[in-house]
Amino acid sequence: MFKSRFLPEPSDPEALVSVPSPRRAGPVGVLLVNLGTPDAPTAGAIRRYLLEFLSDPRVVEIPQWIWQIILRGAVLVRRPSKLAPRYKDIWLEQGSPLLVYSHHLADGVAQHLEAQGESARVALAMRYGNPSVANAIDDLRQQGCERIIVVPLYPQYAASTTATAFDKVASYAGCLRDQPEFRFIKRFNTLPAYIDALEQQVRQYWAKNGKPQYLLLSFHGLPRVTVEQGDPYHRDCMETAQLLRQRLGADGERVHVTFQSRFGAQEWLKPYTEPTLREWARKGVKSVDVMCPGFLADCLETLEEIQIECRDAFLEEGGSQYRYIPCLNGDPSWAAGLAGFIRAQLGGWV
């Protein structure tokens, strides 16, 4: 009988194959991803942050060879020093508001998952800046997480926010030999727990301070062309606004929607926030409350642009009362709602 010299005889001890021990599933990793923030309110830190943020082709959709000349020239030379005083005005003792409040939310989600008996580890990452996506994934892997659910902290989907967070996770995973298993959350703009939290935020504020003539929901803007090319962001925003309007019942008639944070010369989603406030004041509107449902944590765009610049514009045109309703931040009821939503997405994993 033919015998291969490459196969040992059954009696050979080297032929005995050891049986591996059962593979342990380990805890599930929960990766919360927010946009990002400079490490400090200084021109140097802001410049580093803007270089990473504005170099993302999903954020600025013009040919990179053209854009990089503009970015590294006029933008990064002038803009950081202009932004530094604005960041300093909103900076907290613990650091950037966006980072501080995002950590509060992450801690709350972790506590609720633990209270529900889930074997889960929660890590926070920033798409741009620190803590980085790579470091957060490494941290979860070191804790034994071979399954990670990625939750971008954007209720409404946009390619320039949610999609680029997915891109970053996938890019880093492409460098790993032993990749974790991933699940991705695309949106939660109609999630009942999210709408509940927004309604509660509004009603509690009105119970304490009284109702305004109008409640303005200011969402972050996008270039109009991105929506025309298929981005569902505008629809997502309007769905959120409609559900909140319904929840507020008769007070839903006070709700209006605008878009903020224009950048560049092209047309963005309309109506624009500051021009709308100016027009209202000129037409005799005296009291307005503004909230930003698309932001889960307060940041420069809410605390400076909306709370200060838009207030000044409204009062300058004759308005009398302008109030900003804070983001959900680390609100315990919202943390519980988000934890419940995440838990529901873990079917088969836990």
Side-chain angles (χ1 to χ4, degrees), residues 9-161:
E9 294 293 333
S11 59
D12 189 336
E14 293 183 3
L16 298 177
V17 178
S18 61
V19 178
S21 59
R23 191 186 302 275
R24 303 182 65 178
V28 171
V30 178
L31 180 63
L32 304 180
V33 185
N34 214 329
L35 185 73
T37 174
D39 293 324
T42 62
I46 295 169
R47 185 174 295 107
R48 290 191 297 273
Y49 169 71
L50 289 180
L51 177 60
E52 182 182 6
F53 173 43
L54 297 178
S55 292
D56 187 340
R58 283 204 186 264
V59 173
V60 180
E61 297 186 35
I62 63 176
Q64 282 293 300
W65 69 270
I66 298 176
W67 172 240
Q68 286 296 321
I69 295 174
I70 300 171
L71 175 61
R72 295 171 185 269
V75 176
L76 292 182
V77 169
R78 301 173 185 173
R79 193 162 178 80
S81 58
K82 291 182 178 179
L83 287 176
R86 297 169 61 182
Y87 272 106
K88 288 178 182 177
D89 286 343
I90 67 165
W91 213 255
L92 302 175
E93 183 178 347
Q94 306 96 317
S96 162
L98 177 73
L99 183 58
V100 171
Y101 295 136
S102 295
H103 270 303
H104 290 171
L105 177 60
D107 290 344
V109 168
Q111 291 169 9
H112 283 288
L113 288 175
E114 182 179 1
Q116 294 166 0
E118 301 296 355
S119 178
R121 303 291 184 269
V122 179
L124 174 68
M126 294 291 154
R127 170 59 183 87
Y128 313 101
N130 297 304
S132 70
V133 168
N135 287 343
I137 292 176
D138 284 346
D139 179 51
L140 291 173
R141 293 175 69 223
Q142 288 168 8
Q143 296 181 68
C145 300
E146 291 198 357
R147 299 162 299 173
I148 298 175
I149 183 168
V150 182
V151 187
L153 295 177
Y154 315 113
Q156 296 78 26
Y157 174 93
S160 57
T161 54

Side-chain angles (χ1 to χ4, degrees), residues 29-295:
V30 178
L31 180 63
L32 304 180
V33 185
N34 214 329
L35 185 73
T37 174
D39 293 324
T42 62
I46 295 169
R47 185 174 295 107
R48 290 191 297 273
Y49 169 71
L50 289 180
L51 177 60
E52 182 182 6
F53 173 43
L54 297 178
S55 292
D56 187 340
R58 283 204 186 264
V59 173
V60 180
E61 297 186 35
I62 63 176
Q64 282 293 300
W65 69 270
I66 298 176
W67 172 240
Q68 286 296 321
I69 295 174
I70 300 171
L71 175 61
R72 295 171 185 269
V75 176
L76 292 182
V77 169
R78 301 173 185 173
R79 193 162 178 80
S81 58
K82 291 182 178 179
L83 287 176
R86 297 169 61 182
Y87 272 106
K88 288 178 182 177
D89 286 343
I90 67 165
W91 213 255
L92 302 175
E93 183 178 347
Q94 306 96 317
S96 162
L98 177 73
L99 183 58
V100 171
Y101 295 136
S102 295
H103 270 303
H104 290 171
L105 177 60
D107 290 344
V109 168
Q111 291 169 9
H112 283 288
L113 288 175
E114 182 179 1
Q116 294 166 0
E118 301 296 355
S119 178
R121 303 291 184 269
V122 179
L124 174 68
M126 294 291 154
R127 170 59 183 87
Y128 313 101
N130 297 304
S132 70
V133 168
N135 287 343
I137 292 176
D138 284 346
D139 179 51
L140 291 173
R141 293 175 69 223
Q142 288 168 8
Q143 296 181 68
C145 300
E146 291 198 357
R147 299 162 299 173
I148 298 175
I149 183 168
V150 182
V151 187
L153 295 177
Y154 315 113
Q156 296 78 26
Y157 174 93
S160 57
T161 54
T162 312
T164 192
F166 294 162
D167 291 347
K168 189 66 174 179
V169 171
S171 174
Y172 183 64
C175 302
L176 301 176
R177 181 172 297 277
D178 185 6
Q179 294 180 338
E181 182 178 357
F182 287 102
R183 288 182 182 175
F184 296 94
I185 300 302
K186 182 174 182 177
R187 60 164 63 85
F188 49 91
N189 64 310
T190 61
L191 177 69
Y194 166 62
I195 304 300
D196 287 345
L198 294 177
E199 179 192 3
Q200 177 179 297
Q201 189 87 336
V202 172
R203 292 195 182 280
Q204 288 180 346
Y205 191 87
W206 286 354
K208 182 178 179 180
N209 302 287
K211 298 176 182 179
Q213 287 176 264
Y214 292 152
L215 171 62
L216 183 61
L217 306 183
S218 181
F219 291 90
H220 197 288
L222 285 182
R224 183 178 182 86
V225 66
T226 63
V227 175
E228 294 171 348
Q229 292 172 342
D231 200 302
Y233 177 73
H234 183 268
R235 178 186 176 90
D236 283 8
C237 293
M238 301 310 292
E239 285 177 342
T240 296
Q242 180 61 18
L243 288 173
L244 181 57
R245 186 178 290 118
Q246 291 172 357
R247 288 291 189 87
L248 293 175
D251 287 323
E253 296 181 359
R254 305 174 193 269
V255 175
H256 297 263
V257 174
T258 57
F259 297 89
Q260 66 187 77
S261 304
R262 285 177 291 163
F263 180 79
Q266 61 185 316
E267 182 181 358
W268 283 45
L269 294 176
K270 292 182 177 180
Y272 300 141
T273 297
E274 183 178 321
T276 297
L277 289 165
R278 288 185 179 275
E279 181 182 1
W280 283 356
R282 288 194 293 265
K283 290 183 176 180
V285 176
K286 295 301 181 183
S287 63
V288 174
D289 286 354
V290 182
M291 70 184 304
C292 301
F295 295 86

